[in-house]
Amino acid sequence: MSWSEFQAWMQYRAKHGPLHIQPHIEHAAALVAYVISGTVPRGKGQKSPDFMDFLPQRELTRVQEPEPIDLETAMATWR
């Protein structure tokens, strides 16, 4: 794999999340639960849950890339 192809895949992953299927299945199940929760009768003034309430509590879909540092800072940090 060339360096440019690797960078393209990293940009794809940062935009769309990891390639494995588990987050996509969780997202679909959360969407179904969210739509069904809209049909539940509520009292006056009660708010329906947000979509994010149905997703697992973890960093979902985005890769957090560290900020780039210059060579001098890296060498000072690693010593």
Side-chain angles (χ1 to χ4, degrees):
M1 175 184 302
S2 68
W3 179 250
S4 60
E5 184 180 357
F6 174 75
Q7 288 179 323
W9 274 112
M10 291 306 294
Q11 288 175 349
Y12 176 87
R13 189 170 177 227
K15 183 176 181 181
H16 299 287
L19 296 176
H20 64 283
I21 197 161
Q22 181 181 359
H24 302 287
I25 292 172
E26 290 173 350
H27 189 272
L31 181 60
V32 170
Y34 174 70
V35 170
I36 290 173
S37 74
T39 64
V40 174
R42 290 181 177 73
K44 225 177 206 183
Q46 284 186 334
K47 186 179 114 172
S48 62
D50 293 328
F51 176 70
M52 294 302 287
D53 294 336
F54 295 99
L55 290 173
Q57 300 301 317
R58 60 184 157 110
E59 292 297 320
L60 247 186
T61 32
R62 303 296 175 235
V63 176
Q64 298 296 325
E65 295 294 327
E67 290 294 320
I69 58 174
D70 58 75
L71 180 61
E72 291 80 22
T73 307
M75 290 177 69
T77 304
W78 295 336
R79 286 188 182 176

